[in-house]
Amino acid sequence: SDTPIEITAANGSYRPENYDERFRGWVSVRDALASSLNVPAVRAVELIGADALVDRLRAAGVIGLDHPGSYYGPALALGSADVTLWELVAAYASLAPGGIYRPLRLQPGMPTEPGRRVFSPPAAFVIADILADREARGFSFGLESALATPFWTAVKTGTSKDMRDNWCIGFSQQFVVGVWVGNFSGQPMGDVSGVSGAAPIWLDVMRGLHEQR
């Protein structure tokens, strides 16, 4: 349900909104995720519980979550916790091979660690298929954007509050690429979102990696 919602929190009320400040009523999970609708994501965390989400994120490599789910609340769906580019790339890299997490390495010659399953193969497949669905994301981003590649990719953007930074992370059948854009001082940027800031860089890197493939 992409409709207005008010959540009571310890420090007041929380009223999440979508990026374009519009509500669309009933939508499918596919359209909600592919088009980055915030309100359905918050409702999903309310359904499963923030503790369950924290546990899954930690298993997928987001190790900087130092508090229980109740500390973050449903806003965790929209990025209420600090994470690093390293952690997010590790999490997406676990979706790419069907739900297997392996710690990232800084150099090719470093020893690999055995993987562990954090998502079921069907769940990983469905999420990747949604994030690769150009038509489903078209409702927020249009059919042609910096997220559209001439080969198969699953990709997601994110923009933090006040546009302090933005992200684009996605994978093809061979590569996982993550891009962060922002000011090291933490100062907000002027009207720069994930799809206009990080996504074009992500697209250039992905195209470069696949030129000879």
Side-chain angles (χ1 to χ4, degrees):
S1 175
D2 184 24
T3 54
I5 183 175
E6 182 171 342
I7 298 169
T8 302
N11 56 351
S13 295
Y14 172 53
R15 299 181 183 88
E17 291 186 344
N18 293 317
Y19 180 74
D20 59 6
E21 299 181 346
R22 293 169 51 207
F23 297 99
R24 294 169 174 81
W26 289 106
V27 294
S28 68
V29 169
R30 176 172 291 271
D31 287 345
L33 178 57
S35 289
S36 292
L37 300 185
N38 290 338
V39 177
V42 171
R43 289 184 184 275
V45 176
E46 280 209 297
L47 288 171
I48 66 170
D51 285 329
L53 179 57
V54 166
D55 290 344
R56 190 57 58 91
L57 288 171
R58 285 174 177 160
V62 184
I63 58 176
L65 298 172
D66 300 326
H67 303 283
S70 57
Y71 176 85
Y72 305 106
L76 182 59
L78 308 183
S80 62
D82 291 332
V83 297
T84 66
L85 182 61
W86 180 269
E87 291 172 320
L88 285 181
V89 169
Y92 276 75
S94 68
L95 281 172
I100 302 294
Y101 168 77
R102 288 184 178 86
L104 302 182
R105 296 175 295 158
L106 287 170
Q107 296 177 349
M110 294 176 66
T112 58
E113 297 184 31
R116 67 173 186 269
R117 179 161 297 286
V118 294
F119 305 108
S120 70
F125 173 85
V126 169
I127 295 301
D129 190 61
I130 290 173
L131 295 181
D133 191 333
R134 185 182 301 196
E135 185 174 347
R137 81 168 75 100
F139 196 76
S140 289
F141 303 108
L143 293 177
E144 295 299 331
S145 70
L147 306 178
T149 54
F151 42 86
W152 187 93
T153 50
V155 58
K156 184 78 175 62
T157 63
T159 306
S160 64
K161 188 176 180 181
D162 298 327
M163 296 190 176
R164 293 185 184 278
D165 54 8
N166 59 77
W167 314 75
C168 185
I169 305 178
F171 53 90
S172 67
Q173 292 178 326
Q174 292 87 22
F175 303 103
V176 181
V177 174
V179 176
W180 171 84
V181 168
N183 295 312
F184 288 125
S185 65
Q187 290 298 309
M189 295 176 289
D191 196 27
V192 181
S193 67
V195 76
S196 64
I201 302 170
W202 177 86
L203 179 61
D204 284 348
V205 173
M206 272 294 188
R207 282 177 169 167
L209 289 170
H210 287 80
E211 278 182 351
Q212 305 300 323
R213 291 177 178 267

mmCIF file of all heavy atoms in Angstrom, residues 41-80:
data_model
loop_
_atom_site.group_PDB
_atom_site.id
_atom_site.type_symbol
_atom_site.label_atom_id
_atom_site.label_comp_id
_atom_site.label_asym_id
_atom_site.label_seq_id
_atom_site.Cartn_x
_atom_site.Cartn_y
_atom_site.Cartn_z
ATOM 1 N N ALA A 41 8.262 0.267 1.318
ATOM 2 C CA ALA A 41 9.438 -0.319 1.977
ATOM 3 C C ALA A 41 9.323 -0.206 3.491
ATOM 4 O O ALA A 41 9.624 -1.151 4.232
ATOM 5 C CB ALA A 41 10.707 0.378 1.489
ATOM 6 N N VAL A 42 8.857 0.942 3.975
ATOM 7 C CA VAL A 42 8.666 1.123 5.414
ATOM 8 C C VAL A 42 7.588 0.173 5.923
ATOM 9 O O VAL A 42 7.722 -0.448 6.985
ATOM 10 C CB VAL A 42 8.301 2.585 5.730
ATOM 11 C CG1 VAL A 42 7.885 2.745 7.185
ATOM 12 C CG2 VAL A 42 9.482 3.501 5.425
ATOM 13 N N ARG A 43 6.509 0.027 5.157
ATOM 14 C CA ARG A 43 5.444 -0.902 5.561
ATOM 15 C C ARG A 43 5.966 -2.339 5.617
ATOM 16 O O ARG A 43 5.567 -3.115 6.486
ATOM 17 C CB ARG A 43 4.270 -0.803 4.579
ATOM 18 C CG ARG A 43 3.476 0.497 4.675
ATOM 19 C CD ARG A 43 2.270 0.466 3.734
ATOM 20 N NE ARG A 43 1.545 1.707 3.717
ATOM 21 C CZ ARG A 43 0.581 2.047 4.585
ATOM 22 N NH1 ARG A 43 0.266 1.204 5.563
ATOM 23 N NH2 ARG A 43 -0.039 3.197 4.488
ATOM 24 N N ALA A 44 6.853 -2.698 4.711
ATOM 25 C CA ALA A 44 7.413 -4.053 4.708
ATOM 26 C C ALA A 44 8.205 -4.319 5.976
ATOM 27 O O ALA A 44 8.113 -5.400 6.573
ATOM 28 C CB ALA A 44 8.283 -4.262 3.474
ATOM 29 N N VAL A 45 9.003 -3.329 6.413
ATOM 30 C CA VAL A 45 9.774 -3.504 7.641
ATOM 31 C C VAL A 45 8.843 -3.603 8.850
ATOM 32 O O VAL A 45 9.104 -4.353 9.793
ATOM 33 C CB VAL A 45 10.794 -2.368 7.823
ATOM 34 C CG1 VAL A 45 11.523 -2.501 9.150
ATOM 35 C CG2 VAL A 45 11.799 -2.385 6.691
ATOM 36 N N GLU A 46 7.749 -2.876 8.821
ATOM 37 C CA GLU A 46 6.774 -3.002 9.905
ATOM 38 C C GLU A 46 6.218 -4.425 9.976
ATOM 39 O O GLU A 46 5.959 -4.959 11.047
ATOM 40 C CB GLU A 46 5.630 -2.010 9.702
ATOM 41 C CG GLU A 46 5.940 -0.596 10.148
ATOM 42 C CD GLU A 46 4.683 0.129 10.578
ATOM 43 O OE1 GLU A 46 3.798 0.308 9.717
ATOM 44 O OE2 GLU A 46 4.566 0.478 11.765
ATOM 45 N N LEU A 47 6.031 -5.047 8.819
ATOM 46 C CA LEU A 47 5.470 -6.397 8.767
ATOM 47 C C LEU A 47 6.450 -7.454 9.280
ATOM 48 O O LEU A 47 6.067 -8.353 10.027
ATOM 49 C CB LEU A 47 5.045 -6.737 7.336
ATOM 50 C CG LEU A 47 3.797 -6.036 6.808
ATOM 51 C CD1 LEU A 47 3.630 -6.315 5.319
ATOM 52 C CD2 LEU A 47 2.559 -6.499 7.567
ATOM 53 N N ILE A 48 7.721 -7.351 8.860
ATOM 54 C CA ILE A 48 8.687 -8.400 9.231
ATOM 55 C C ILE A 48 9.420 -8.087 10.527
ATOM 56 O O ILE A 48 9.976 -8.979 11.161
ATOM 57 C CB ILE A 48 9.726 -8.633 8.113
ATOM 58 C CG1 ILE A 48 10.628 -7.412 7.927
ATOM 59 C CG2 ILE A 48 9.050 -9.009 6.802
ATOM 60 C CD1 ILE A 48 11.817 -7.659 7.025
ATOM 61 N N GLY A 49 9.427 -6.799 10.922
ATOM 62 C CA GLY A 49 10.140 -6.385 12.123
ATOM 63 C C GLY A 49 11.549 -5.932 11.810
ATOM 64 O O GLY A 49 12.254 -6.559 11.014
ATOM 65 N N ALA A 50 11.962 -4.848 12.433
ATOM 66 C CA ALA A 50 13.303 -4.297 12.173
ATOM 67 C C ALA A 50 14.396 -5.230 12.652
ATOM 68 O O ALA A 50 15.488 -5.265 12.087
ATOM 69 C CB ALA A 50 13.434 -2.919 12.830
ATOM 70 N N ASP A 51 14.136 -6.017 13.708
ATOM 71 C CA ASP A 51 15.153 -6.955 14.203
ATOM 72 C C ASP A 51 15.498 -7.989 13.143
ATOM 73 O O ASP A 51 16.668 -8.341 12.960
ATOM 74 C CB ASP A 51 14.668 -7.664 15.468
ATOM 75 C CG ASP A 51 14.706 -6.752 16.694
ATOM 76 O OD1 ASP A 51 15.583 -5.868 16.743
ATOM 77 O OD2 ASP A 51 13.858 -6.929 17.579
ATOM 78 N N ALA A 52 14.475 -8.500 12.443
ATOM 79 C CA ALA A 52 14.720 -9.491 11.390
ATOM 80 C C ALA A 52 15.535 -8.889 10.260
ATOM 81 O O ALA A 52 16.415 -9.545 9.692
ATOM 82 C CB ALA A 52 13.390 -10.029 10.862
ATOM 83 N N LEU A 53 15.261 -7.630 9.920
ATOM 84 C CA LEU A 53 16.008 -6.969 8.857
ATOM 85 C C LEU A 53 17.459 -6.746 9.270
ATOM 86 O O LEU A 53 18.384 -6.974 8.479
ATOM 87 C CB LEU A 53 15.352 -5.640 8.495
ATOM 88 C CG LEU A 53 16.037 -4.820 7.403
ATOM 89 C CD1 LEU A 53 16.183 -5.612 6.109
ATOM 90 C CD2 LEU A 53 15.293 -3.521 7.144
ATOM 91 N N VAL A 54 17.684 -6.326 10.518
ATOM 92 C CA VAL A 54 19.052 -6.135 11.009
ATOM 93 C C VAL A 54 19.833 -7.441 10.946
ATOM 94 O O VAL A 54 20.985 -7.480 10.501
ATOM 95 C CB VAL A 54 19.035 -5.573 12.438
ATOM 96 C CG1 VAL A 54 20.417 -5.688 13.085
ATOM 97 C CG2 VAL A 54 18.614 -4.106 12.435
ATOM 98 N N ASP A 55 19.214 -8.527 11.369
ATOM 99 C CA ASP A 55 19.886 -9.831 11.343
ATOM 100 C C ASP A 55 20.294 -10.220 9.931
ATOM 101 O O ASP A 55 21.411 -10.702 9.694
ATOM 102 C CB ASP A 55 18.981 -10.912 11.934
ATOM 103 C CG ASP A 55 18.790 -10.769 13.434
ATOM 104 O OD1 ASP A 55 19.581 -10.039 14.062
ATOM 105 O OD2 ASP A 55 17.841 -11.374 13.970
ATOM 106 N N ARG A 56 19.397 -10.002 8.961
ATOM 107 C CA ARG A 56 19.705 -10.375 7.583
ATOM 108 C C ARG A 56 20.784 -9.482 6.989
ATOM 109 O O ARG A 56 21.659 -9.946 6.257
ATOM 110 C CB ARG A 56 18.426 -10.343 6.731
ATOM 111 C CG ARG A 56 18.564 -10.936 5.343
ATOM 112 C CD ARG A 56 19.055 -12.374 5.389
ATOM 113 N NE ARG A 56 18.194 -13.227 6.164
ATOM 114 C CZ ARG A 56 17.173 -13.919 5.655
ATOM 115 N NH1 ARG A 56 16.917 -13.853 4.374
ATOM 116 N NH2 ARG A 56 16.438 -14.693 6.417
ATOM 117 N N LEU A 57 20.728 -8.199 7.289
ATOM 118 C CA LEU A 57 21.750 -7.277 6.787
ATOM 119 C C LEU A 57 23.128 -7.615 7.348
ATOM 120 O O LEU A 57 24.122 -7.593 6.628
ATOM 121 C CB LEU A 57 21.374 -5.834 7.135
ATOM 122 C CG LEU A 57 20.206 -5.230 6.362
ATOM 123 C CD1 LEU A 57 19.797 -3.893 6.963
ATOM 124 C CD2 LEU A 57 20.548 -5.057 4.891
ATOM 125 N N ARG A 58 23.184 -7.928 8.624
ATOM 126 C CA ARG A 58 24.470 -8.314 9.219
ATOM 127 C C ARG A 58 25.017 -9.566 8.557
ATOM 128 O O ARG A 58 26.218 -9.665 8.272
ATOM 129 C CB ARG A 58 24.295 -8.548 10.721
ATOM 130 C CG ARG A 58 24.153 -7.284 11.547
ATOM 131 C CD ARG A 58 23.828 -7.616 12.988
ATOM 132 N NE ARG A 58 23.748 -6.420 13.828
ATOM 133 C CZ ARG A 58 23.121 -6.392 14.997
ATOM 134 N NH1 ARG A 58 22.537 -7.485 15.472
ATOM 135 N NH2 ARG A 58 23.093 -5.273 15.694
ATOM 136 N N ALA A 59 24.139 -10.531 8.295
ATOM 137 C CA ALA A 59 24.577 -11.775 7.655
ATOM 138 C C ALA A 59 25.123 -11.512 6.263
ATOM 139 O O ALA A 59 26.015 -12.217 5.789
ATOM 140 C CB ALA A 59 23.406 -12.765 7.586
ATOM 141 N N ALA A 60 24.605 -10.458 5.596
ATOM 142 C CA ALA A 60 25.020 -10.137 4.226
ATOM 143 C C ALA A 60 26.180 -9.155 4.177
ATOM 144 O O ALA A 60 26.482 -8.616 3.108
ATOM 145 C CB ALA A 60 23.838 -9.575 3.444
ATOM 146 N N GLY A 61 26.827 -8.907 5.320
ATOM 147 C CA GLY A 61 28.039 -8.100 5.296
ATOM 148 C C GLY A 61 27.910 -6.686 5.797
ATOM 149 O O GLY A 61 28.905 -5.948 5.824
ATOM 150 N N VAL A 62 26.708 -6.253 6.195
ATOM 151 C CA VAL A 62 26.548 -4.895 6.726
ATOM 152 C C VAL A 62 26.822 -4.973 8.229
ATOM 153 O O VAL A 62 25.916 -5.099 9.049
ATOM 154 C CB VAL A 62 25.135 -4.344 6.443
ATOM 155 C CG1 VAL A 62 25.019 -2.893 6.917
ATOM 156 C CG2 VAL A 62 24.832 -4.423 4.950
ATOM 157 N N ILE A 63 28.093 -4.915 8.574
ATOM 158 C CA ILE A 63 28.517 -5.209 9.941
ATOM 159 C C ILE A 63 28.502 -3.997 10.858
ATOM 160 O O ILE A 63 28.724 -4.111 12.060
ATOM 161 C CB ILE A 63 29.921 -5.836 9.945
ATOM 162 C CG1 ILE A 63 30.927 -4.886 9.257
ATOM 163 C CG2 ILE A 63 29.915 -7.205 9.260
ATOM 164 C CD1 ILE A 63 32.359 -5.385 9.293
ATOM 165 N N GLY A 64 28.221 -2.819 10.317
ATOM 166 C CA GLY A 64 28.254 -1.606 11.130
ATOM 167 C C GLY A 64 26.973 -1.346 11.901
ATOM 168 O O GLY A 64 26.840 -0.294 12.538
ATOM 169 N N LEU A 65 26.015 -2.262 11.862
ATOM 170 C CA LEU A 65 24.771 -2.083 12.604
ATOM 171 C C LEU A 65 25.002 -2.518 14.051
ATOM 172 O O LEU A 65 24.947 -3.702 14.377
ATOM 173 C CB LEU A 65 23.656 -2.919 11.955
ATOM 174 C CG LEU A 65 23.304 -2.537 10.514
ATOM 175 C CD1 LEU A 65 22.337 -3.537 9.917
ATOM 176 C CD2 LEU A 65 22.708 -1.136 10.462
ATOM 177 N N ASP A 66 25.249 -1.568 14.921
ATOM 178 C CA ASP A 66 25.661 -1.852 16.299
ATOM 179 C C ASP A 66 24.509 -1.959 17.279
ATOM 180 O O ASP A 66 24.717 -2.262 18.452
ATOM 181 C CB ASP A 66 26.623 -0.766 16.797
ATOM 182 C CG ASP A 66 27.880 -0.679 15.958
ATOM 183 O OD1 ASP A 66 28.340 -1.732 15.481
ATOM 184 O OD2 ASP A 66 28.386 0.442 15.767
ATOM 185 N N HIS A 67 23.289 -1.684 16.833
ATOM 186 C CA HIS A 67 22.150 -1.635 17.750
ATOM 187 C C HIS A 67 21.079 -2.628 17.314
ATOM 188 O O HIS A 67 21.054 -3.072 16.160
ATOM 189 C CB HIS A 67 21.562 -0.218 17.766
ATOM 190 C CG HIS A 67 22.542 0.845 18.137
ATOM 191 N ND1 HIS A 67 22.948 1.072 19.435
ATOM 192 C CD2 HIS A 67 23.212 1.739 17.369
ATOM 193 C CE1 HIS A 67 23.820 2.067 19.461
ATOM 194 N NE2 HIS A 67 23.996 2.489 18.218
ATOM 195 N N PRO A 68 20.155 -2.965 18.207
ATOM 196 C CA PRO A 68 19.034 -3.821 17.806
ATOM 197 C C PRO A 68 18.091 -3.085 16.867
ATOM 198 O O PRO A 68 18.133 -1.852 16.746
ATOM 199 C CB PRO A 68 18.353 -4.149 19.142
ATOM 200 C CG PRO A 68 18.746 -3.038 20.062
ATOM 201 C CD PRO A 68 20.129 -2.627 19.639
ATOM 202 N N GLY A 69 17.223 -3.847 16.217
ATOM 203 C CA GLY A 69 16.319 -3.250 15.246
ATOM 204 C C GLY A 69 15.434 -2.169 15.807
ATOM 205 O O GLY A 69 15.089 -1.203 15.113
ATOM 206 N N SER A 70 15.055 -2.289 17.080
ATOM 207 C CA SER A 70 14.171 -1.294 17.694
ATOM 208 C C SER A 70 14.816 0.091 17.729
ATOM 209 O O SER A 70 14.126 1.115 17.745
ATOM 210 C CB SER A 70 13.792 -1.730 19.107
ATOM 211 O OG SER A 70 14.961 -1.937 19.902
ATOM 212 N N TYR A 71 16.141 0.145 17.756
ATOM 213 C CA TYR A 71 16.855 1.422 17.762
ATOM 214 C C TYR A 71 16.646 2.163 16.436
ATOM 215 O O TYR A 71 16.488 3.387 16.418
ATOM 216 C CB TYR A 71 18.344 1.172 17.997
ATOM 217 C CG TYR A 71 19.211 2.411 17.919
ATOM 218 C CD1 TYR A 71 19.381 3.219 19.035
ATOM 219 C CD2 TYR A 71 19.869 2.752 16.733
ATOM 220 C CE1 TYR A 71 20.185 4.348 18.976
ATOM 221 C CE2 TYR A 71 20.671 3.876 16.668
ATOM 222 C CZ TYR A 71 20.822 4.679 17.785
ATOM 223 O OH TYR A 71 21.614 5.794 17.708
ATOM 224 N N TYR A 72 16.638 1.424 15.326
ATOM 225 C CA TYR A 72 16.500 2.032 14.002
ATOM 226 C C TYR A 72 15.039 2.187 13.593
ATOM 227 O O TYR A 72 14.675 3.150 12.929
ATOM 228 C CB TYR A 72 17.225 1.181 12.962
ATOM 229 C CG TYR A 72 18.670 0.931 13.280
ATOM 230 C CD1 TYR A 72 19.102 -0.323 13.723
ATOM 231 C CD2 TYR A 72 19.619 1.928 13.157
ATOM 232 C CE1 TYR A 72 20.427 -0.566 14.019
ATOM 233 C CE2 TYR A 72 20.958 1.705 13.450
ATOM 234 C CZ TYR A 72 21.355 0.443 13.890
ATOM 235 O OH TYR A 72 22.665 0.218 14.187
ATOM 236 N N GLY A 73 14.215 1.215 13.971
ATOM 237 C CA GLY A 73 12.804 1.253 13.617
ATOM 238 C C GLY A 73 12.566 1.034 12.137
ATOM 239 O O GLY A 73 13.484 0.710 11.369
ATOM 240 N N PRO A 74 11.318 1.232 11.683
ATOM 241 C CA PRO A 74 10.977 1.005 10.276
ATOM 242 C C PRO A 74 11.757 1.888 9.305
ATOM 243 O O PRO A 74 11.890 1.560 8.131
ATOM 244 C CB PRO A 74 9.476 1.320 10.214
ATOM 245 C CG PRO A 74 8.995 1.167 11.617
ATOM 246 C CD PRO A 74 10.137 1.571 12.495
ATOM 247 N N ALA A 75 12.288 3.017 9.806
ATOM 248 C CA ALA A 75 13.066 3.912 8.935
ATOM 249 C C ALA A 75 14.339 3.252 8.432
ATOM 250 O O ALA A 75 14.981 3.761 7.511
ATOM 251 C CB ALA A 75 13.403 5.204 9.671
ATOM 252 N N LEU A 76 14.711 2.113 9.012
ATOM 253 C CA LEU A 76 15.882 1.383 8.520
ATOM 254 C C LEU A 76 15.719 1.028 7.046
ATOM 255 O O LEU A 76 16.701 0.938 6.307
ATOM 256 C CB LEU A 76 16.090 0.113 9.351
ATOM 257 C CG LEU A 76 17.302 -0.748 9.004
ATOM 258 C CD1 LEU A 76 18.595 0.046 9.157
ATOM 259 C CD2 LEU A 76 17.340 -1.996 9.876
ATOM 260 N N ALA A 77 14.484 0.857 6.606
ATOM 261 C CA ALA A 77 14.227 0.548 5.195
ATOM 262 C C ALA A 77 14.728 1.649 4.272
ATOM 263 O O ALA A 77 15.054 1.394 3.104
ATOM 264 C CB ALA A 77 12.730 0.344 4.967
ATOM 265 N N LEU A 78 14.800 2.866 4.795
ATOM 266 C CA LEU A 78 15.193 4.018 3.971
ATOM 267 C C LEU A 78 16.594 4.513 4.277
ATOM 268 O O LEU A 78 17.010 5.548 3.780
ATOM 269 C CB LEU A 78 14.188 5.161 4.161
ATOM 270 C CG LEU A 78 12.718 4.788 3.970
ATOM 271 C CD1 LEU A 78 11.848 6.024 4.112
ATOM 272 C CD2 LEU A 78 12.495 4.124 2.619
ATOM 273 N N GLY A 79 17.329 3.763 5.115
ATOM 274 C CA GLY A 79 18.709 4.143 5.352
ATOM 275 C C GLY A 79 18.935 4.947 6.610
ATOM 276 O O GLY A 79 19.760 5.865 6.615
ATOM 277 N N SER A 80 18.230 4.634 7.700
ATOM 278 C CA SER A 80 18.421 5.388 8.938
ATOM 279 C C SER A 80 19.709 5.003 9.658
ATOM 280 O O SER A 80 20.059 5.620 10.657
ATOM 281 C CB SER A 80 17.226 5.171 9.871
ATOM 282 O OG SER A 80 17.108 3.810 10.248
#
